[in-house]
Amino acid sequence: SGEFRPVDAGTVMSSIVGILGYVPVWFRASTPKAHAALVQELTDFVMNGIAAAPPAAAVAAARLRADRKPRAAKSAVSA
């Protein structure tokens, strides 16, 4: 008890099936690494959506991934 939020199992199942069913429409894996990254991202997305609270390891991993992503240059706004 406490591992998952109280959610409607049918809604969650239908959502997962919908997500996975649409992946072939837009995803083209250029490398096995890209495929593995997609699997990990979708797994994190689903599990973090139904988990009662994200485990500390998942939070740390998400922060590490965010730190590694290139950031868009901020434009200077002059007054």
Side-chain angles (χ1 to χ4, degrees), residues 1 19-20 39 49-50 52 55-56 66 69:
S1 163
I19 291 167
L20 296 177
V39 170
I50 62 174
K69 289 183 180 178

Side-chain angles (χ1 to χ4, degrees), residues 9-10 14-15 18 22 34 45 52 67-68 71 76-77:
S14 295
S15 298
Y22 196 64
F45 176 76
D67 288 343
R68 290 182 180 169
R71 297 173 192 229
V77 177

Side-chain angles (χ1 to χ4, degrees), residues 2-78:
E3 292 181 14
F4 297 103
R5 294 185 305 114
V7 294
D8 180 72
T11 300
V12 171
M13 183 198 64
S14 295
S15 298
I16 293 169
V17 169
I19 291 167
L20 296 177
Y22 196 64
V23 169
V25 173
W26 60 267
F27 183 72
R28 301 289 179 259
S30 56
T31 64
K33 187 176 180 180
H35 183 268
L38 175 70
V39 170
Q40 187 61 54
E41 288 292 328
L42 290 177
T43 300
D44 289 347
F45 176 76
V46 170
M47 294 307 294
N48 288 330
I50 62 174
V59 172
R63 287 184 182 146
L64 182 61
R65 282 194 305 272
D67 288 343
R68 290 182 180 169
K69 289 183 180 178
R71 297 173 192 229
K74 292 182 180 178
S75 61
V77 177
S78 58

